[in-house]
Amino acid sequence: TSGESVRFEVKEYYQGGWQANVTTGCRSLNSSSKASATFGLTQADLGYHYRVRASYPGDLTNAGNHSGWQYLIVRK
């Protein structure tokens, strides 16, 4: 619903496990129930595996929840 908030979580596969990389602050959903965030990567990140998901923190009437993970590899 418009005005509700989500946050995005990015993890990087490093040294045999998923490590926290970035967690955004809360983003408000627009009138189409969409939100976005931009993540910057450097040359050092090329070839690494990442996963990203959205998290809804919940409120007084709705329980929190997470989307499924989206997996990607950064290539040049």
Side-chain angles (χ1 to χ4, degrees):
T1 308
S2 179
E4 297 287 338
S5 64
V6 297
R7 63 186 175 142
F8 297 95
E9 181 180 2
V10 179
K11 292 193 174 188
E12 178 181 17
Y13 193 78
Y14 181 71
Q15 294 183 343
W18 289 104
Q19 309 298 322
N21 186 281
V22 174
T23 299
T24 68
C26 287
R27 303 282 199 262
S28 292
L29 298 177
N30 65 21
S31 60
S32 299
S33 294
K34 295 180 181 180
S36 63
T38 302
F39 307 99
L41 299 171
T42 65
Q43 290 286 75
D45 300 307
L46 292 176
Y48 282 82
H49 296 247
Y50 291 87
R51 64 184 188 180
V52 181
R53 73 175 176 184
S55 297
Y56 171 66
D59 57 28
L60 294 175
T61 57
N62 298 297
N65 206 348
H66 305 285
S67 70
W69 289 104
Q70 296 294 315
Y71 293 83
L72 60 122
I73 299 172
V74 177
R75 302 217 189 266
K76 187 173 182 181

